[in-house]
Amino acid sequence: MDDRLFRTAMGKFATGVTVITTEFEGRPYGMTANAFVSVSLNPKLVLVSVGLHAHMHNRLQHTKRYAVNILAENQQALSALFAGQKKEETEVKFDTLDSLPVLQGTIATITCNVVAEHLAGDHTLFIGEVTEIRLNEGEPLLFSQGKYRELTALQENPTH
């Protein structure tokens, strides 16, 4: 099968949108990622998949720490910025959580220490043990079939 067919099939799976952040050489860096998953409750582990050629790859291998910023529905511009889709210079204000740079206004932020790295094809799976969590109200930014989507509330149907 060709790469396009595979990408199209994977795009059928709706995901949330995250920005992975870390601090490297005294500067904050981020990368949009939807390849994020909870792995274990005890210990609390999460996983992000990062391409071998992504700038973030070497930074995570060096720092061994990252934050997962789960974006709110109104943060599509941040997703595009950290995906390299916006070319104009944009200043991002970072907060700090557990000594890591994190984005403001996210619905959840999770900081992690890398406890394992697994090479998987053209990506590395960075498994992180959760060290801190910050939660905020709001709806998630979703992505499916190459487009951003909105979560709409399910209507209660009193007849069923």
Side-chain angles (χ1 to χ4, degrees):
M1 78 190 73
D2 70 356
D3 291 352
R4 173 63 15 220
L5 177 64
F6 181 76
R7 288 179 66 102
T8 299
M10 294 303 99
K12 300 285 186 181
F13 184 69
T15 66
V17 182
T18 71
V19 171
I20 309 305
T21 53
T22 195
E23 184 174 303
F24 180 68
E25 296 180 346
R27 293 187 55 206
Y29 291 93
M31 177 193 88
T32 299
N34 63 355
F36 161 72
V37 67
S38 169
V39 174
S40 170
L41 186 58
N42 189 14
K44 291 165 184 56
L45 301 174
V46 297
L47 175 152
V48 293
S49 178
V50 179
L52 296 176
H53 301 294
H55 294 295
M56 184 60 77
H57 187 273
N58 291 338
R59 292 172 181 142
L60 292 183
Q61 284 189 317
H62 179 79
T63 65
K64 304 292 188 203
R65 301 193 71 219
Y66 62 87
V68 179
N69 301 268
I70 301 175
L71 300 186
E73 64 185 350
N74 64 347
Q75 293 182 306
Q76 184 175 329
L78 279 175
S79 173
L81 175 69
F82 286 104
Q85 297 168 345
K86 291 179 85 175
K87 300 304 179 201
E88 64 271 7
E89 192 68 29
T90 304
E91 183 178 338
V92 176
K93 293 191 185 322
F94 289 91
D95 280 340
T96 301
L97 181 63
D98 193 25
S99 302
L100 283 168
V102 298
L103 298 175
Q104 299 175 355
T106 62
I107 59 172
T109 306
I110 303 161
T111 61
C112 308
N113 292 329
V114 174
V115 295
E117 298 175 28
H118 299 283
L119 183 61
D122 59 359
H123 281 62
T124 297
L125 309 178
F126 289 94
I127 298 177
E129 185 165 10
V130 176
T131 56
E132 195 79 35
I133 294 174
R134 178 186 296 161
L135 300 176
N136 293 304
E137 294 297 317
E139 296 296 334
L141 180 61
L142 302 177
F143 195 77
S144 178
Q145 301 180 56
K147 297 178 185 170
Y148 292 102
R149 309 289 181 158
E150 290 185 15
L151 184 65
T152 56
L154 296 174
Q155 298 282 327
E156 290 283 334
N157 189 340
T159 62
H160 288 95

